[in-house]
């Protein structure tokens, strides 16, 4: 692991030079995805910025509603419930920012992004102790709505548009930010080396350090000299700083002894959080994003189908319970959650998927419970065995109907193959046709 740190430190030092020295742009690692089917919109009206915020809020309520066996008085559950509270408050800000087209949009988006990362990672750590919970489905829905918002209305998209698209040139201030960020990455990676040396082997401590190194690697792997590369860099920077903040909160709550070592990252956390933030709202000034509808949303309404189950009274009830949560009241021990934290963790240094992404990207785990669907007798955790369930994955589509649609999508994929990158800018926005 030490050699990996040294390599990345070398890359970080020259990041500001290499990022804009190569004409052809590419993104490596986890974000390079294989060919997918042509967009096929299903079961719902075209999403808007406002409707996506509403879906995120409903997803939070669904999670709170289905977290009955996660004790809010437990010390081990602090990062779970405190992240829900952070997300809820962030979504209130985000909703205000959308309604008024104000900088509250960015404040809310940052708070929600950090909270979702923390929630997803925490659920990844404790879901083995709660095998019958449907919380995972709520986390997947929440992440899908947030990602849809970021990829169509986030700061990377705004930066790309305001800067003139693919042919746009970078300003002197933007180039200076990239140069400054290279110095900051060098500092972060140096401190991660210190923190990693004290992490317990094959533990979540070590996993989180390696996650942050991998996210840093994805960031410095971005090549290019134009507006698209800069926007992708912004996006990856945000993913890294959300994870850094989220993991810090988890470490502080669950591993207080190790947190004394982890605190060396404090300066990096503060610097990274603010570096690209101050100029971000200027990209939105001439963009009426509130009037935009997303044309190609593919299977979005399948991924977020659970929001339809939330009533207005439940939304009020569970939002109030989330808002009233206090960490200071969490004083009880939960032996099952504690056992999950103490178990030996499988460490794969070759994997590009972080702990929080395992839950968010549960393609083979429809309910996010940590059991792959092939081995899971109840894929959507609705209490009905799949053999008797007409909707195994709980997406609102009958299985027979869904099988037919999947066959159609496979045929379309064979006819037209295109590489899709999870780079913070939806393909249609890169083409300038929907945003």
């Amino acid at each position: 692991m030490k050699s990996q740190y040294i390599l990345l430190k070398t890359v970080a030092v020259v990041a500001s030079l290499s990022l804009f020295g190569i004409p052809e742009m590419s993104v490596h690692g986890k974000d390079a995805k294989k060919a997918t089917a042509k967009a096929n919109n299903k079961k719902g009206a075209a999403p808007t910025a406002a409707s996506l915020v509403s879906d995120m809020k409903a997803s939070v309520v669904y999670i709170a509603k289905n977290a009955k066996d996660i004790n809010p008085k437990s010390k081990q559950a602090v990062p779970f419930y405190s992240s829900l509270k952070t997300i809820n408050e962030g979504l209130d800000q985000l909703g205000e920012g959308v309604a008024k087209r104000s900088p509250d949009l960015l404040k809310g988006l940052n708070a929600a992004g950090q909270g979702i990362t923390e929630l997803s990672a925490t659920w990844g750590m404790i879901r083995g102790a709660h095998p019958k919970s449907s919380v995972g489905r709520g986390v997947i829905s929440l992440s899908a709505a947030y990602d849809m918002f970021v990829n169509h209305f986030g700061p990377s998209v705004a930066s790309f548009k305001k800067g003139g698209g693919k042919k746009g040139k970078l300003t002197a201030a933007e180039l200076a930010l990239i140069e400054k960020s290279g110095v900051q990455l060098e500092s972060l990676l140096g401190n991660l080396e210190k923190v990693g040396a004290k992490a317990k082997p094959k533990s979540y401590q070590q996993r989180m350090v390696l996650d942050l190194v991998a996210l840093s690697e994805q960031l410095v792997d971005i090549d290019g000299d134009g507006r698209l590369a800069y926007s992708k860099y912004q996006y990856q920077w945000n993913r890294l700083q959300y994870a850094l903040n989220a993991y810090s909160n988890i470490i502080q709550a669950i591993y207080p002894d190790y947190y004394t070592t982890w605190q060396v990252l404090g300066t990096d956390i503060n610097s990274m959080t603010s570096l690209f933030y101050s100029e971000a709202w200027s990209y939105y000034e001439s963009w009426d994003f509130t009037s935009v509808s997303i044309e190609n949303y593919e299977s979005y309404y399948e991924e977020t189908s659970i929001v339809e189950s939330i009533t207005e009274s439940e939304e009020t009830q569970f939002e109030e319970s989330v808002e009233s949560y206090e960490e200071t009241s969490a004083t009880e021990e939960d032996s099952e959650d504690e056992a999950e934290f103490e178990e030996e963790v499988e460490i794969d240094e070759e994997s590009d998927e972080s702990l929080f992404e395992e839950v968010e990207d549960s393609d083979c785990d429809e309910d996010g419970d940590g059991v792959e669907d092939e081995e899971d007798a109840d894929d959507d955790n609705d209490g009905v065995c799949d053999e008797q369930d007409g909707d195994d994955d709980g997406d609102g589509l009958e299985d027979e109907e869904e099988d037919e649609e999947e066959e159609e999508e496979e045929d379309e994929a064979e006819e037209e193959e295109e590489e899709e990158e999870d780079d913070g800018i939806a393909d249609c926005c890169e083409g300038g046709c929907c945003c």
Side-chain angles (χ1 to χ4, degrees):
M1 189 162 87
K2 187 172 182 179
S3 62
Q4 184 180 21
Y5 282 125
I6 293 172
L7 171 63
L8 281 169
K9 284 176 71 176
T10 303
V11 175
V13 172
V14 298
S16 60
L17 300 177
S18 64
L19 179 61
F20 298 101
I22 305 172
E24 184 177 354
M25 291 171 286
S26 63
V27 177
H28 313 290
K30 182 248 176 195
D31 295 320
K33 293 189 176 179
K34 299 226 171 164
T36 57
K38 187 189 292 184
N40 182 17
N41 297 341
K42 304 171 185 176
K43 300 282 184 183
T48 64
S51 75
L52 291 171
V53 175
S54 179
D55 288 348
M56 283 185 262
K57 291 180 77 69
S59 297
V60 171
V61 171
Y62 178 92
I63 293 167
K65 177 183 176 182
N66 286 277
K68 299 182 182 69
D69 61 338
I70 303 175
N71 182 7
K73 301 292 184 183
S74 163
K75 292 192 293 185
Q76 287 76 15
V78 165
F80 178 87
Y81 282 105
S82 61
S83 63
L84 271 184
K85 186 173 182 177
T86 297
I87 296 165
N88 200 52
E89 292 171 350
L91 292 178
D92 286 341
Q93 278 188 311
L94 180 57
E96 285 287 317
V98 170
K100 298 178 180 178
R101 286 180 59 191
S102 74
D104 280 341
L105 180 148
L106 289 176
K107 294 177 183 176
L109 202 61
N110 284 345
Q114 178 188 317
I116 291 170
T117 303
E118 184 177 340
L119 175 70
S120 301
T122 303
W123 179 242
M125 295 169 73
I126 67 173
R127 60 184 175 178
H130 308 278
K132 295 183 179 181
S133 174
S134 295
V135 161
R137 292 191 63 211
V139 175
I140 292 169
S141 174
L142 176 60
S143 299
Y146 182 83
D147 289 344
M148 183 71 79
F149 190 103
V150 168
N151 288 327
H152 290 84
F153 307 112
S156 296
V157 181
S159 166
F160 184 70
K161 284 179 57 64
K162 177 71 180 292
K166 290 182 179 179
K167 295 182 180 180
K169 302 297 182 182
L170 300 178
T171 66
E174 288 169 335
L175 289 168
L177 274 178
I178 291 294
E179 197 167 338
K180 188 175 181 180
S181 72
V183 176
Q184 182 56 54
L185 275 177
E186 182 184 8
S187 169
L188 173 64
L189 288 163
N191 285 327
L192 280 174
E193 184 174 6
K194 298 174 186 175
V195 169
K198 297 291 182 69
K200 181 182 176 182
K202 295 185 178 181
S203 70
Y204 283 114
Q205 298 171 12
Q206 186 182 49
R207 174 68 191 275
M208 289 181 197
V209 173
L210 290 173
D211 281 357
L212 293 172
V213 171
L215 288 166
S216 300
E217 184 177 27
Q218 290 173 29
L219 180 64
V220 298
D221 267 353
I222 298 173
D223 300 327
D225 62 352
R227 175 60 55 183
L228 185 58
Y230 182 79
S231 296
K232 290 176 179 179
Y233 194 86
Q234 274 184 301
Y235 171 70
Q236 294 290 359
W237 185 271
N238 283 340
R239 292 179 72 237
L240 173 59
Q241 64 103 349
Y242 292 161
L244 183 57
N245 277 278
Y247 286 180
S248 295
N249 289 342
I250 293 172
I251 293 291
Q252 184 175 17
I254 297 174
Y255 305 110
D257 293 340
Y258 182 55
Y259 185 68
T260 58
T261 298
W262 188 273
Q263 283 180 296
V264 72
L265 298 171
T267 301
D268 297 302
I269 292 170
N270 293 333
S271 298
M272 294 195 71
T273 301
S274 61
L275 189 58
F276 281 87
Y277 185 82
S278 59
E279 301 297 322
W281 182 249
S282 65
Y283 299 124
Y284 285 87
E285 290 171 351
S286 58
W287 181 22
D288 185 12
F289 59 88
T290 58
S291 65
V292 174
S293 295
I294 299 171
E295 294 176 3
N296 295 326
Y297 48 91
E298 302 181 13
S299 57
Y300 171 75
Y301 285 107
E302 289 181 19
E303 295 175 84
T304 60
S305 61
I306 54 98
V307 303
E308 297 297 325
S309 67
I310 301 300
T311 65
E312 288 186 14
S313 61
E314 286 175 332
E315 192 153 350
T316 300
Q317 173 191 350
F318 287 103
E319 274 193 346
E320 288 177 351
S321 70
V322 169
E323 289 170 1
S324 63
Y325 175 75
E326 294 292 342
E327 291 183 18
T328 53
S329 65
T331 56
E332 299 176 8
E333 295 287 346
D334 189 302
S335 58
E336 291 185 356
D337 284 344
E338 182 68 22
E340 289 292 311
F341 298 147
E342 295 302 321
E343 282 186 6
E344 190 171 282
V345 176
E346 184 176 339
I347 302 293
D348 181 4
E349 295 193 30
E350 300 300 317
S351 175
D352 288 321
E353 189 168 63
S354 298
L355 177 61
F356 62 92
E357 293 168 322
E358 287 183 358
V359 177
E360 294 177 358
D361 301 335
S362 298
D363 293 335
C364 300
D365 179 15
E366 296 288 356
D367 54 6
D369 64 356
V371 181
E372 289 196 5
D373 295 333
E374 289 184 1
E375 302 173 5
D376 196 344
D378 181 12
D379 288 351
D380 58 358
N381 244 331
D382 64 354
V384 180
C385 180
D386 292 337
E387 292 181 1
Q388 302 171 338
D389 195 345
D391 178 15
D392 287 354
D393 55 7
D395 63 3
L397 291 176
E398 289 293 317
D399 294 332
E400 291 182 7
E401 177 186 355
E402 194 164 14
D403 289 342
E404 291 175 3
E405 290 189 357
E406 286 176 358
E407 288 177 9
E408 290 176 7
E409 288 179 0
E410 288 174 3
D411 292 339
E412 288 176 355
E414 290 176 3
E415 292 174 8
E416 180 178 336
E417 292 190 356
E418 57 184 40
E419 189 169 299
E420 186 177 299
E421 294 175 350
D422 178 19
D423 57 17
I425 306 177
D427 286 349
C428 61
C429 296
E430 283 188 25
C433 63
C434 78
C435 294

